[in-house]
Amino acid sequence: MASRTANFTIDAHDPRAQVAWWAQVLDDFEPDGEDTDDEAELRGPAGRWLIFIRVPDRKTVKNRMHICLRPVDRSRDDEIERLLGLGATVVNDLRAGDEGWAVLADPEGNEFCVLSTRADEAGIARA
């Protein structure tokens, strides 16, 4: 038997603010409601969690691990625009037409990728 992920833990300067931001980004995770100043959690599908733990230092170097997002109800480019409107920033734009992805950062600088949707990959236009 192999292992399954239980949670991903992310260092944060302000765990509650990170949970509030990521709750707007992810449609399959929601705040747990038992946050403290030192730890805040998003509950996801199948008993998985994103846990933000307070650390005293701000992020200064590239993540060693990151989340990759695939939009479910809009194109990659539309999702990138939505996330930029929520306060994400572009780290590296690797889009070339309908191919590629963009590396963004959340408000605390944690990198994540936005991939194309399956419809984008198939060349199917979304209404």
Side-chain angles (χ1 to χ4, degrees), residues 4-10 29 39 41-53 65:
R4 288 191 176 155
T5 57
N7 60 272
F8 294 93
T9 303
I10 302 168
F29 281 78
E39 182 177 317
E41 302 174 342
L42 285 171
R43 182 179 57 248
R48 292 178 175 91
W49 299 82
L50 284 180
I51 302 173
F52 296 88
I53 303 289
M65 179 184 289

Side-chain angles (χ1 to χ4, degrees), residues 62 80 89-95 100-105 111-114:
K62 184 183 181 305
I80 290 168
T89 56
V90 176
V91 174
N92 195 2
D93 193 338
L94 301 167
R95 294 177 283 177
W101 62 93
V103 181
L104 304 182
E111 294 97 358
F112 62 96
C113 292
V114 181

Side-chain angles (χ1 to χ4, degrees), residues 13-108:
H13 185 71
D14 184 344
R16 286 183 172 145
Q18 284 292 88
V19 161
W21 193 83
W22 279 98
Q24 295 178 79
V25 172
L26 302 170
D27 76 343
D28 56 348
F29 281 78
E30 58 187 48
D32 178 45
E34 298 183 20
D35 300 339
T36 69
D37 288 341
D38 293 323
E39 182 177 317
E41 302 174 342
L42 285 171
R43 182 179 57 248
R48 292 178 175 91
W49 299 82
L50 284 180
I51 302 173
F52 296 88
I53 303 289
R54 180 181 296 281
V55 297
D57 305 315
R58 294 207 180 267
K59 183 180 170 301
T60 58
V61 298
K62 184 183 181 305
N63 297 9
R64 295 290 303 254
M65 179 184 289
H66 65 265
I67 298 170
C68 290
L69 305 178
R70 188 178 303 279
V72 295
D73 63 351
R74 60 184 52 99
S75 72
R76 173 202 61 202
D77 294 344
D78 289 343
E79 180 65 353
I80 290 168
E81 289 305 313
R82 183 182 81 87
L83 297 171
L84 293 173
L86 292 174
T89 56
V90 176
V91 174
N92 195 2
D93 193 338
L94 301 167
R95 294 177 283 177
D98 291 336
E99 297 182 10
W101 62 93
V103 181
L104 304 182
D106 71 16
E108 288 200 8

